[in-house]
Amino acid sequence: MTSSDNPLLQAFHPYGDTIAAVLDTMGVQASQQDSDDGSHDWSHLIRVWKLVKEIAAEEPGLDLEMLAVATLLHDCVAVEKTDPRRSQASRLSADKASEVLRTMGWEAARIDATAHVIEAHSFSAGIAPRSHEACVLRDADRLDAIGAIGIARTFYVAGRNGSRLYDPVDPFAAHRELDDRRFALDHFETKLLHLADGLMTATAQRIGERRVATMRAYVDLLREEISPDR
């Protein structure tokens, strides 16, 4: 398999051959979707890599091949958001990535560095990034959770997990506690509208500001349509 054979590998240019080698080692075909979760499929990986490259353009000296591999593998162990092991997902993915890279013959120090990039990307894991590469992947993954794509992913995940769109009596939680496990709309206030506050790179902060504005505009429009007193 070469990087010119498949859109996924083309998207990871100029590291398509490395990505192909990782997938071959894992026994995964780049032409297949290895997840039934549409919020964490190949399209998510491609979007995150695009953001990684955009952020990295203003962060000189990064190991971009490592970042490409970390992007590919950052969700390689699937743990549903409703699973009690959710906070361990990035560590599990880092462990699996380490096994793959050892099989490929990567040196130990670079494997450890890649594993840290993967484990530190997760919001729920609460692991502080210790490298510039870790900051970049963390920012890119969080950016893909907000903005227009973040809105789409929020309602997709809510439907997947059996949540309602919103509370019909009190949609914006004026007189109740927020509960984003039951109501998708609550997730905007509990997490998404504040996610950009933790972005670490200047480029990601600029992108995040625009994406938060998109979400706020959406919530305002939704308020006009569904508020009982309008």
Side-chain angles (χ1 to χ4, degrees), residues 16-226:
D17 290 345
T18 300
I19 296 304
V22 172
L23 293 174
D24 287 344
T25 301
M26 297 174 69
V28 175
Q29 298 296 316
S31 59
Q32 72 186 45
Q33 292 287 344
D34 68 336
S35 171
D36 64 353
D37 180 356
S39 65
H40 291 93
D41 56 6
W42 289 155
S43 64
H44 169 63
L45 301 181
I46 291 169
R47 290 192 306 270
V48 172
W49 174 239
K50 179 182 177 182
L51 287 162
V52 164
K53 290 191 293 184
E54 186 173 354
I55 297 167
E58 297 187 21
E59 301 288 332
L62 297 175
D63 185 338
L64 286 174
E65 184 181 44
M66 177 203 295
L67 271 168
V69 171
T71 299
L72 179 76
L73 298 177
H74 76 278
D75 288 325
C76 64
V77 175
V79 181
E80 291 282 358
K81 290 188 179 296
T82 54
D83 192 305
R85 300 174 302 147
R86 180 61 185 174
S87 63
Q88 304 172 39
S90 67
R91 293 180 176 88
L92 295 172
S93 292
D95 289 344
K96 182 174 180 178
S98 297
E99 293 175 8
V100 170
L101 296 178
R102 276 194 292 271
T103 300
M104 291 176 60
W106 279 35
E107 61 183 38
R110 201 170 184 218
I111 292 172
D112 290 344
T114 306
H116 172 67
V117 172
I118 292 171
E119 69 179 6
H121 90 272
S122 170
F123 181 88
S124 57
I127 298 172
R130 300 192 305 267
S131 69
H132 291 306
E133 287 85 359
C135 292
V136 169
L137 181 60
R138 180 181 186 265
D139 279 1
D141 190 64
R142 293 188 182 196
L143 286 172
D144 197 56
I146 60 179
I149 190 64
I151 295 168
R153 291 180 72 196
T154 295
F155 288 107
Y156 171 87
V157 172
R160 181 179 173 85
N161 292 332
S163 301
R164 295 179 180 271
L165 295 180
Y166 57 87
D167 182 346
V169 176
D170 189 0
F172 296 92
H175 306 292
R176 63 175 176 83
E177 295 292 325
L178 290 164
D179 185 356
D180 61 356
R181 288 185 175 272
R182 294 182 62 201
F183 307 115
L185 183 56
D186 286 17
H187 194 54
F188 288 85
E189 189 55 52
T190 59
K191 181 177 180 181
L192 299 184
L193 291 172
H194 311 288
L195 200 55
D197 296 343
L199 296 173
M200 306 185 77
T201 62
T203 302
Q205 289 164 4
R206 290 196 298 271
I207 299 170
E209 185 177 354
R210 295 195 301 269
R211 294 194 177 200
V212 169
T214 295
M215 291 190 299
R216 290 195 183 280
Y218 169 78
V219 171
D220 288 343
L221 289 169
L222 190 63
R223 190 185 304 274
E224 291 183 8
E225 295 183 8
I226 69 174

